[in-house]
Amino acid sequence: MRVFIWVLFLVVTAQSVSAEPPGDLPPDPQPFDNGMSPEKTLEAAQEAFRTGDFGSLRRLLEPLLFPTPVFKRAAERIDARQLLGLGLFFDAQQVTDSEERRSFLDLARLNFYELLRERPDFVLDPLLYPASVVELFDSVRSTHAQELDALLAAQNGPEEKSVQTIYVERDVSRRSLVLAFFPFGIGQFQNGDSVKGTLFAVGQVLSLGLNVTSYLIVESLRGDSGYYDPGLDRRSGDFADALTWR
């Protein structure tokens, strides 16, 4: 019986495509017959959907949304409309009469339309719902695309455009490749590494000083004949010292 009432309701509202109840329906929602609050009823509908009891969705949620939604929170209204639209779609798959099936699908479209009017950016996840349900939902979005785009723009408000200028300062240092081959850490000082440059310079100065000193000592040990005195055992004397300094 209720199916035919909804068919009549759809025919009256088809021209305006609005969820406003017809004038001959009471403005207040129908009383609940399950003794539960709207929030508890929504939780029961969510549990029914999780367990695959799709036939209970319309019975639980229809009185909460038509002719006037009873939920105060937008999130609850959206969840309820989403579940009711899904329930109506699954109900349509269970009937064999083409007119009755069309009635269920039209009511599902109307419910999805009201959902999109409140959340124009809402989408059904194709990984969670059958492709036929997502296709029905997207067809509603496409049919009312202009209206939904305007609602979305109004909800988001005007976009604030700002231009920010960023200055990038770069220091360019030019270094000579030739100086990298110079001794005494000149290449390191050129790179700004004074510690390494100092170590190179001190080490090379000490090495050079030791080299010159040892050379002078070795030459001073040389005899007038140009040879070194090897000592009595021919392995000591000035000859041994010269070998050490060399």
Side-chain angles (χ1 to χ4, degrees):
M1 181 63 181
R2 295 193 60 178
V3 172
F4 295 100
I5 295 177
W6 279 108
V7 171
L8 179 60
F9 167 75
L10 181 65
V11 171
V12 175
T13 58
Q15 297 298 326
S16 60
V17 195
S18 172
E20 294 295 329
D24 56 348
L25 292 179
D28 297 325
Q30 300 176 4
F32 304 111
D33 56 1
N34 54 19
M36 295 190 298
S37 65
E39 291 76 15
K40 291 295 183 182
T41 305
L42 177 58
E43 292 178 3
Q46 292 169 341
E47 180 63 24
F49 180 77
R50 284 192 292 267
T51 58
D53 185 13
F54 305 125
S56 300
L57 296 177
R58 185 186 178 209
R59 173 179 57 83
L60 291 170
L61 297 174
E62 197 174 61
L64 302 179
L65 296 171
F66 294 98
T68 303
V70 300
F71 296 105
K72 295 181 179 179
R73 298 176 54 192
E76 293 175 343
R77 290 193 301 270
I78 292 172
D79 287 344
R81 290 197 181 280
Q82 178 184 1
L83 290 174
L84 179 55
L86 294 171
L88 289 167
F89 176 85
F90 288 122
D91 286 343
Q93 313 309 310
Q94 303 301 318
V95 297
T96 58
D97 183 76
S98 60
E99 292 297 329
E100 190 175 4
R101 184 174 186 275
R102 187 181 299 108
S103 300
F104 280 123
L105 292 178
D106 288 343
L107 289 175
R109 291 189 184 93
L110 177 62
N111 198 74
F112 286 149
Y113 168 68
E114 290 299 329
L115 185 156
L116 288 170
R117 289 185 64 191
E118 190 158 10
R119 277 281 305 276
D121 58 345
F122 190 88
V123 294
L124 285 183
D125 191 343
L127 298 179
L128 298 178
Y129 303 105
S132 53
V133 179
V134 177
E135 183 179 354
L136 178 68
F137 187 88
D138 290 342
S139 68
V140 176
R141 183 194 304 278
S142 300
T143 302
H144 305 281
Q146 185 174 359
E147 176 187 359
L148 296 177
D149 290 343
L151 289 174
L152 183 60
Q155 290 180 5
N156 293 336
E159 296 183 359
E160 296 183 0
K161 297 183 179 179
S162 59
V163 178
Q164 183 178 6
T165 304
I166 300 177
Y167 295 94
V168 178
E169 183 177 353
R170 182 177 63 178
D171 294 330
V172 180
S173 299
R174 298 185 179 275
R175 296 180 174 88
S176 173
L177 180 62
V178 177
L179 293 180
F181 298 97
F182 275 51
F184 308 115
I186 292 178
Q188 302 299 326
F189 287 115
Q190 177 187 224
N191 293 336
D193 196 337
S194 58
V195 175
K196 288 184 178 180
T198 302
L199 292 176
F200 272 98
V202 172
Q204 291 176 356
V205 168
L206 291 177
S207 298
L208 180 61
L210 179 62
N211 189 310
V212 173
T213 301
S214 63
Y215 173 79
L216 294 176
I217 293 177
V218 168
E219 290 299 317
S220 68
L221 294 174
R222 189 187 301 271
D224 294 338
S225 62
Y227 295 95
Y228 299 93
D229 181 10
L232 297 177
D233 57 358
R234 306 190 63 82
R235 300 181 64 181
S236 59
D238 294 340
F239 177 73
D241 294 339
L243 288 177
T244 302
W245 280 105
R246 190 183 65 173

mmCIF file of all heavy atoms in Angstrom, residues 15 20 24 36 57 72 90 99 116 130-131 135 145 176 199 216 222:
data_model
loop_
_atom_site.group_PDB
_atom_site.id
_atom_site.type_symbol
_atom_site.label_atom_id
_atom_site.label_comp_id
_atom_site.label_asym_id
_atom_site.label_seq_id
_atom_site.Cartn_x
_atom_site.Cartn_y
_atom_site.Cartn_z
ATOM 1 N N GLN A 15 7.852 17.539 -11.105
ATOM 2 C CA GLN A 15 8.115 18.771 -11.833
ATOM 3 C C GLN A 15 9.121 19.647 -11.113
ATOM 4 O O GLN A 15 9.939 20.305 -11.721
ATOM 5 C CB GLN A 15 6.801 19.567 -12.053
ATOM 6 C CG GLN A 15 5.786 18.819 -12.911
ATOM 7 C CD GLN A 15 6.321 18.537 -14.314
ATOM 8 O OE1 GLN A 15 7.070 19.343 -14.860
ATOM 9 N NE2 GLN A 15 5.957 17.398 -14.863
ATOM 10 N N GLU A 20 10.391 18.721 -0.701
ATOM 11 C CA GLU A 20 9.311 19.313 0.062
ATOM 12 C C GLU A 20 8.075 18.444 -0.029
ATOM 13 O O GLU A 20 7.683 18.023 -1.118
ATOM 14 C CB GLU A 20 8.998 20.723 -0.469
ATOM 15 C CG GLU A 20 10.137 21.718 -0.260
ATOM 16 C CD GLU A 20 10.392 21.969 1.197
ATOM 17 O OE1 GLU A 20 9.414 21.896 1.985
ATOM 18 O OE2 GLU A 20 11.535 22.217 1.580
ATOM 19 N N ASP A 24 -0.886 17.850 0.846
ATOM 20 C CA ASP A 24 -1.871 17.056 1.559
ATOM 21 C C ASP A 24 -1.218 16.128 2.578
ATOM 22 O O ASP A 24 -1.891 15.338 3.205
ATOM 23 C CB ASP A 24 -2.694 16.220 0.559
ATOM 24 C CG ASP A 24 -1.795 15.351 -0.303
ATOM 25 O OD1 ASP A 24 -0.566 15.586 -0.276
ATOM 26 O OD2 ASP A 24 -2.324 14.473 -0.985
ATOM 27 N N MET A 36 12.356 3.538 19.385
ATOM 28 C CA MET A 36 13.740 4.001 19.485
ATOM 29 C C MET A 36 13.850 5.446 19.035
ATOM 30 O O MET A 36 13.052 5.924 18.241
ATOM 31 C CB MET A 36 14.659 3.117 18.633
ATOM 32 C CG MET A 36 14.773 1.679 19.103
ATOM 33 S SD MET A 36 16.088 0.756 18.241
ATOM 34 C CE MET A 36 15.481 0.813 16.548
ATOM 35 N N LEU A 57 16.078 -1.385 5.608
ATOM 36 C CA LEU A 57 16.523 0.005 5.537
ATOM 37 C C LEU A 57 15.366 0.970 5.298
ATOM 38 O O LEU A 57 15.261 2.011 5.958
ATOM 39 C CB LEU A 57 17.569 0.158 4.429
ATOM 40 C CG LEU A 57 18.869 -0.621 4.641
ATOM 41 C CD1 LEU A 57 19.796 -0.453 3.437
ATOM 42 C CD2 LEU A 57 19.562 -0.160 5.905
ATOM 43 N N LYS A 72 18.864 16.525 13.462
ATOM 44 C CA LYS A 72 19.358 17.879 13.586
ATOM 45 C C LYS A 72 20.772 18.018 13.015
ATOM 46 O O LYS A 72 21.136 19.094 12.543
ATOM 47 C CB LYS A 72 19.357 18.308 15.056
ATOM 48 C CG LYS A 72 17.954 18.381 15.661
ATOM 49 C CD LYS A 72 18.014 18.838 17.110
ATOM 50 C CE LYS A 72 16.611 18.934 17.710
ATOM 51 N NZ LYS A 72 16.648 19.368 19.127
ATOM 52 N N PHE A 90 18.061 -1.540 -3.646
ATOM 53 C CA PHE A 90 18.017 -2.990 -3.483
ATOM 54 C C PHE A 90 16.579 -3.504 -3.472
ATOM 55 O O PHE A 90 16.310 -4.620 -3.948
ATOM 56 C CB PHE A 90 18.731 -3.384 -2.198
ATOM 57 C CG PHE A 90 20.232 -3.228 -2.266
ATOM 58 C CD1 PHE A 90 20.906 -2.422 -1.363
ATOM 59 C CD2 PHE A 90 20.964 -3.867 -3.253
ATOM 60 C CE1 PHE A 90 22.266 -2.273 -1.430
ATOM 61 C CE2 PHE A 90 22.332 -3.716 -3.331
ATOM 62 C CZ PHE A 90 22.989 -2.915 -2.418
ATOM 63 N N GLU A 99 6.557 -1.281 -13.071
ATOM 64 C CA GLU A 99 6.116 -0.001 -12.519
ATOM 65 C C GLU A 99 6.582 0.158 -11.079
ATOM 66 O O GLU A 99 7.031 1.238 -10.664
ATOM 67 C CB GLU A 99 4.593 0.111 -12.605
ATOM 68 C CG GLU A 99 4.054 0.233 -14.025
ATOM 69 C CD GLU A 99 4.531 1.505 -14.705
ATOM 70 O OE1 GLU A 99 4.739 2.520 -13.988
ATOM 71 O OE2 GLU A 99 4.704 1.509 -15.935
ATOM 72 N N LEU A 116 22.643 15.172 -2.209
ATOM 73 C CA LEU A 116 23.584 16.026 -2.923
ATOM 74 C C LEU A 116 23.285 17.505 -2.735
ATOM 75 O O LEU A 116 24.199 18.335 -2.800
ATOM 76 C CB LEU A 116 23.565 15.676 -4.416
ATOM 77 C CG LEU A 116 24.225 14.345 -4.777
ATOM 78 C CD1 LEU A 116 23.940 13.979 -6.226
ATOM 79 C CD2 LEU A 116 25.730 14.434 -4.553
ATOM 80 N N PRO A 130 28.084 -1.512 -5.285
ATOM 81 C CA PRO A 130 27.981 -2.060 -6.650
ATOM 82 C C PRO A 130 28.026 -0.950 -7.699
ATOM 83 O O PRO A 130 27.596 0.182 -7.460
ATOM 84 C CB PRO A 130 26.626 -2.777 -6.643
ATOM 85 C CG PRO A 130 26.342 -3.061 -5.204
ATOM 86 C CD PRO A 130 26.957 -1.932 -4.434
ATOM 87 N N ALA A 131 28.547 -1.303 -8.854
ATOM 88 C CA ALA A 131 28.690 -0.309 -9.925
ATOM 89 C C ALA A 131 27.342 0.257 -10.352
ATOM 90 O O ALA A 131 27.239 1.435 -10.718
ATOM 91 C CB ALA A 131 29.407 -0.942 -11.123
ATOM 92 N N GLU A 135 26.443 4.132 -10.479
ATOM 93 C CA GLU A 135 25.982 4.705 -11.743
ATOM 94 C C GLU A 135 24.680 5.481 -11.548
ATOM 95 O O GLU A 135 24.503 6.570 -12.120
ATOM 96 C CB GLU A 135 25.784 3.588 -12.760
ATOM 97 C CG GLU A 135 25.365 4.076 -14.142
ATOM 98 C CD GLU A 135 25.197 2.939 -15.130
ATOM 99 O OE1 GLU A 135 25.512 1.783 -14.759
ATOM 100 O OE2 GLU A 135 24.741 3.201 -16.253
ATOM 101 N N ALA A 145 23.725 18.832 -12.394
ATOM 102 C CA ALA A 145 25.099 19.309 -12.268
ATOM 103 C C ALA A 145 25.173 20.823 -12.080
ATOM 104 O O ALA A 145 25.922 21.320 -11.239
ATOM 105 C CB ALA A 145 25.917 18.884 -13.484
ATOM 106 N N SER A 176 89.733 29.043 -8.969
ATOM 107 C CA SER A 176 90.698 28.693 -10.018
ATOM 108 C C SER A 176 91.127 27.238 -9.842
ATOM 109 O O SER A 176 91.514 26.813 -8.740
ATOM 110 C CB SER A 176 91.920 29.616 -9.943
ATOM 111 O OG SER A 176 92.925 29.183 -10.838
ATOM 112 N N LEU A 199 96.575 22.890 8.056
ATOM 113 C CA LEU A 199 97.227 21.591 8.243
ATOM 114 C C LEU A 199 98.139 21.266 7.064
ATOM 115 O O LEU A 199 99.268 20.783 7.242
ATOM 116 C CB LEU A 199 96.175 20.499 8.410
ATOM 117 C CG LEU A 199 95.340 20.557 9.691
ATOM 118 C CD1 LEU A 199 94.265 19.463 9.677
ATOM 119 C CD2 LEU A 199 96.235 20.398 10.922
ATOM 120 N N LEU A 216 121.578 19.015 4.046
ATOM 121 C CA LEU A 216 122.757 19.745 4.486
ATOM 122 C C LEU A 216 123.626 18.883 5.403
ATOM 123 O O LEU A 216 124.870 18.896 5.315
ATOM 124 C CB LEU A 216 122.341 21.026 5.202
ATOM 125 C CG LEU A 216 121.633 22.080 4.325
ATOM 126 C CD1 LEU A 216 121.184 23.273 5.167
ATOM 127 C CD2 LEU A 216 122.555 22.537 3.192
ATOM 128 N N ARG A 222 130.121 14.325 4.148
ATOM 129 C CA ARG A 222 130.906 13.851 3.023
ATOM 130 C C ARG A 222 132.355 14.377 3.170
ATOM 131 O O ARG A 222 132.577 15.525 3.504
ATOM 132 C CB ARG A 222 130.303 14.343 1.705
ATOM 133 C CG ARG A 222 130.922 13.711 0.463
ATOM 134 C CD ARG A 222 130.358 14.430 -0.782
ATOM 135 N NE ARG A 222 128.923 14.336 -0.868
ATOM 136 C CZ ARG A 222 128.281 13.333 -1.479
ATOM 137 N NH1 ARG A 222 128.967 12.343 -2.028
ATOM 138 N NH2 ARG A 222 126.962 13.339 -1.529
#
